[in-house]
Amino acid sequence: MKSILLLSLPLALADGSQKPIGDAWALPRGLNPALSEKYRPSSSQTFSCLTKPEIQIPISLVNDDFCDCPDGTDEPGTAACAHLNTSLNPLKGFYCQNKGHAPAHIPFNRVNDGICDYEVCCDGSDEWMGVGGIKCPDRCEEIGKEARKAAEEKRKLYETGIRAYQKLVQKAVLAKKEVEDKIVALTGEVKRYEGLVEEKKAGLKKAEEEEKLRLAASGATGDEGKSKHQKLLDYSKEKLSAHQDKLARLFEESQRLKDELEKTEKILKTFKEEYNPNFNDEGVKRAVNAWEDYLASKTTEEEVWSSEYLASLTDLMYESHQWDNYEPEEEEPTPDAYGIEAFLPPFLRPIVHDQLSNLRTSLVEYGLLAPRKPKATTKTTGALSPHIQKLTDDLSSTESTLSSKNTELSNLQSDLTKDYGPESVFRSLKDVCTEAASGEYTYSFCHLGRATQKNRDGGSTHLGDWTGFERRFDDEIEQDVTVIKYERGLRCWNGPERSAYVYLRCSAEEQILSVAETEKCVYKYVATSPAVCGEVAAEGQEGISMGEANRQVN
Ligand code: MAN
């Protein structure tokens, strides 16, 4: 084992200059020229270990294929210190000059390992010992040319990507402007329709009042259009009430007649008791006999006006009736497409309801469907007069147009607050879908839409709906990238809801590069899109990944 000399060995030149002579001061093999000053021999011809300068070794021990410094900095050109933890050594590796291409560092454990590592050291300088007879001739000219060509192609690809990005941004600006313009126009229309609804409501109210007055003046029954049941009910009410009135009058009349009869009988009774039979007046005698016959044949008062009979008469006369119980039931609404809502999950109902309302409104507007009849306001309301009906239909169709315009307006307003990515670029890609086969499945994703996994039988599995973006580290290209998130997909058997994350890289084309199920029911897509080329331009990397950039040490 060599000893470490801490003494300085005077190897200064005769002229006292510090200029190196021969190999002692020639740039050590494998050293990045940027560090040459650190390896300039001191006047005592020693080298100070880079991170432990208190440890000095004779300059002759640099690159002697023996690890002397605890940080390994004395062996920039051999693998002697390759066993040390790389974090101890500030040198990035063996420096290959790669003249004609880009210089690079190769890890020390690959120096003199008997393999030509041309992908890093195109000049073959890492195999300077010729271990096992290996020869690695310099291929930098050819490799450099190919690399420059590839870099140029990549640059062009990124340039097209950036141009495509700019076009997308322009399109997005227009699309956003379109939404803003629509909002302005719709706000005006909503106001106009609000006014119209108020106007039509007032018109209808007025017409209804006029109709009432007209009916009253003409004596019209207003029965037109009533159901048979309603007519029968109205008829029965009217008749029963008339009979009750008549019965009451008859009862009164009978009471009056009874009083008169009583008075008359009283007179005749008095007459019979007080007449003088001695006068022998034949007329009086006949009258008294007739009176006695009458009394003999007369039905008793109790027989005619028994208390039960009187009570039943009074009941009949004053009986009140629960007519409401006999009112016809309100007509069941005609089943139509609206009935479908009842079968939908509650969260879907308002959406489907709005869609159906909009569809109905459009059909009504185009005259393809009759407007909905308004619900009767009271149970007894019969059919409306054609004029009132028209006004009611008109009002209801205006109200429904207003409601769909309001829905559209609030959808547009919330659209403006949505995150469409930098410069709202994803607005232009809305519903653009890309798919690719991977393993036994075909995967797809739609911008701002849904990610899907299809199997060979044509069955498809919902992997998630678009929920937004986030930045994540893509370890393949060693940089942060934009990731589109698709979440709340079909629940995995015995697992989570499926989700997919699309890691984007810049390119002019929308393309899926790979898909992997990184953990159960979590899918990682790697895809290209011009939508992220703006980030590349902003970072000024011109398409060079951090990995590549790191390799390029100047
Ligand atoms: C299906 C696919 C797979 C998933 C399993 C989980 O086969 O969606 O990707 O891992 O279900 O059961």
Side-chain angles (χ1 to χ4, degrees):
M1 174 154 177
K2 294 184 183 179
S3 59
I4 298 171
L5 292 184
L6 298 176
L7 297 169
S8 47
L9 297 174
L11 284 174
L13 298 172
D15 63 3
S17 86
Q18 290 296 308
K19 288 246 175 201
I21 302 175
D23 280 345
W25 174 224
L27 190 69
R29 190 193 298 274
L31 184 72
N32 185 338
L35 298 171
S36 65
E37 277 310 301
K38 307 263 187 202
Y39 286 77
R40 178 192 286 275
S42 67
S43 54
S44 52
Q45 290 299 302
T46 55
F47 166 73
S48 304
C49 301
L50 291 190
T51 61
K52 301 263 182 215
E54 68 278 14
I55 303 177
Q56 296 174 347
I57 58 168
I59 199 84
S60 58
L61 298 189
V62 169
N63 274 345
D64 67 343
D65 204 17
F66 194 87
C67 198
D68 297 304
C69 286
D71 60 2
T73 50
D74 61 312
E75 293 298 317
T78 74
C81 296
H83 60 282
L84 295 180
N85 190 322
T86 48
S87 65
L88 296 174
N89 196 333
L91 302 177
K92 289 178 183 162
F94 180 99
Y95 179 85
C96 309
Q97 283 188 22
N98 291 346
K99 275 188 184 143
H101 187 28
H105 289 99
I106 187 164
F108 288 118
N109 60 5
R110 291 170 70 182
V111 174
N112 292 324
D113 62 350
I115 300 167
C116 301
D117 296 300
Y118 283 126
E119 77 285 3
V120 190
C121 263
C122 59
D123 60 5
S125 60
D126 57 317
E127 295 301 321
W128 57 269
M129 263 186 188
V131 173
I134 186 103
K135 283 199 177 87
C136 299
D138 186 341
R139 286 182 54 201
C140 281
E141 203 181 318
E142 157 205 358
I143 290 174
K145 208 170 154 191
E146 273 170 28
R148 281 189 293 279
K149 201 173 144 207
E152 179 59 11
E153 273 166 16
K154 203 166 182 185
R155 195 184 57 78
K156 279 190 184 150
L157 205 64
Y158 273 85
E159 268 177 20
T160 19
I162 286 164
R163 276 200 297 277
Y165 170 78
Q166 284 159 349
K167 274 195 190 147
L168 286 182
V169 170
Q170 281 169 7
K171 216 172 135 191
V173 169
L174 289 181
K176 191 172 175 206
K177 177 85 178 44
E178 219 172 272
V179 173
E180 287 164 346
D181 289 351
K182 265 194 197 160
I183 287 179
V184 172
L186 259 179
T187 309
E189 275 192 58
V190 162
K191 276 214 178 93
R192 192 167 70 80
Y193 269 84
E194 279 169 350
L196 272 180
V197 165
E198 285 315 307
E199 226 172 75
K200 288 180 188 222
K201 268 186 187 165
L204 177 62
K205 198 172 166 214
K206 193 163 163 254
E208 278 172 340
E209 277 159 13
E210 284 169 2
E211 179 88 349
K212 263 189 216 157
L213 290 174
R214 195 180 59 74
L215 281 176
S218 68
T221 59
D223 268 4
E224 302 80 2
K226 281 186 186 173
S227 69
K228 280 188 179 168
H229 182 156
Q230 187 67 53
K231 278 183 191 167
L232 180 63
L233 187 67
D234 290 354
Y235 174 81
S236 310
K237 270 194 233 174
E238 202 179 288
K239 285 287 169 199
L240 192 61
S241 144
H243 288 316
Q244 279 181 315
D245 284 354
K246 280 181 187 155
L247 188 59
R249 275 167 63 188
L250 279 176
F251 187 73
E252 266 173 32
E253 187 64 7
S254 73
Q255 287 299 320
R256 192 186 59 79
L257 290 174
K258 204 175 137 205
D259 289 349
E260 283 181 4
L261 182 63
E262 263 175 25
K263 277 182 203 159
T264 313
E265 285 181 344
K266 216 171 169 185
I267 295 168
L268 285 172
K269 195 178 165 217
T270 315
F271 171 74
K272 189 207 157 186
E273 284 164 1
E274 292 179 4
Y275 90 97
N276 188 348
N278 300 322
F279 282 175
N280 214 10
D281 184 331
E282 281 302 313
V284 172
K285 273 186 183 173
R286 269 201 309 276
V288 171
N289 286 339
W291 166 241
E292 284 170 345
D293 289 346
Y294 161 78
L295 281 181
S297 64
K298 185 186 174 218
T299 43
T300 62
E301 183 127 321
E302 284 68 36
E303 279 172 338
V304 180
W305 299 107
S306 72
S307 54
E308 291 83 23
Y309 179 61
L310 270 177
S312 70
L313 261 190
T314 320
D315 281 353
L316 270 180
M317 280 186 294
Y318 302 111
E319 188 184 8
S320 63
H321 298 275
Q322 296 296 315
W323 291 110
D324 280 358
N325 295 341
Y326 307 103
E327 288 290 345
E329 297 291 331
E330 257 183 7
E331 267 182 45
E332 287 295 323
T334 322
D336 61 9
Y338 284 70
I340 201 172
E341 289 169 29
F343 299 97
L344 296 174
F347 76 93
L348 265 181
R349 285 180 201 159
I351 302 166
V352 172
H353 181 84
D354 286 348
Q355 297 294 330
L356 287 174
S357 290
N358 291 346
L359 174 64
R360 169 168 258 286
T361 307
S362 307
L363 293 174
V364 171
E365 277 175 359
Y366 286 105
L368 297 172
L369 197 67
R372 255 176 196 288
K373 286 200 172 138
K375 283 193 181 132
T377 46
T378 67
K379 281 186 177 178
T380 49
T381 307
L384 302 171
S385 81
H387 176 56
I388 302 285
Q389 182 69 62
K390 190 173 173 298
L391 291 180
T392 314
D393 289 348
D394 198 16
L395 170 62
S396 115
S397 124
T398 313
E399 278 175 332
S400 112
T401 311
L402 171 63
S403 134
S404 50
K405 286 197 186 297
N406 264 323
T407 312
E408 200 185 339
L409 181 60
S410 65
N411 287 345
L412 289 174
Q413 277 161 340
S414 69
D415 178 87
L416 274 192
T417 61
K418 250 191 209 165
D419 177 13
Y420 282 107
E423 300 185 86
S424 288
V425 65
F426 284 93
R427 201 179 267 284
S428 307
L429 288 169
K430 200 169 181 193
D431 299 329
V432 171
C433 301
T434 315
E435 70 168 37
S438 174
E440 51 183 313
Y441 300 107
T442 297
Y443 290 89
S444 68
F445 72 95
C446 296
H447 283 291
L448 312 170
R450 174 166 287 197
T452 309
Q453 178 195 54
K454 284 185 219 153
N455 59 27
R456 291 213 181 95
D457 308 333
S460 90
T461 305
H462 173 204
L463 300 187
D465 285 322
W466 179 87
T467 54
F469 310 101
E470 68 183 28
R471 298 284 290 171
R472 282 194 188 185
F473 189 71
D474 182 341
D475 26 64
E476 213 182 301
I477 56 168
E478 296 174 29
Q479 69 186 92
D480 276 340
V481 296
T482 294
V483 171
I484 320 176
K485 297 185 289 177
Y486 293 87
E487 290 164 317
R488 296 192 280 280
L490 185 71
R491 184 169 289 283
C492 202
W493 185 79
N494 232 353
E497 285 176 334
R498 286 175 174 80
S499 53
Y501 300 91
V502 183
Y503 288 61
L504 290 178
R505 296 181 191 167
C506 162
S507 168
E509 304 295 330
E510 289 282 325
Q511 200 187 345
I512 294 175
L513 301 178
S514 65
V515 183
E517 193 171 341
T518 48
E519 51 188 282
K520 198 176 177 192
C521 296
V522 178
Y523 304 82
K524 176 184 176 181
Y525 288 51
V526 177
T528 63
S529 168
V532 289
C533 293
E535 295 161 16
V536 177
E539 285 161 15
Q541 289 168 20
E542 304 266 336
I544 300 167
S545 72
M546 286 300 268
E548 285 167 302
N550 281 342
R551 279 213 297 277
Q552 295 188 10
V553 182
N554 292 313

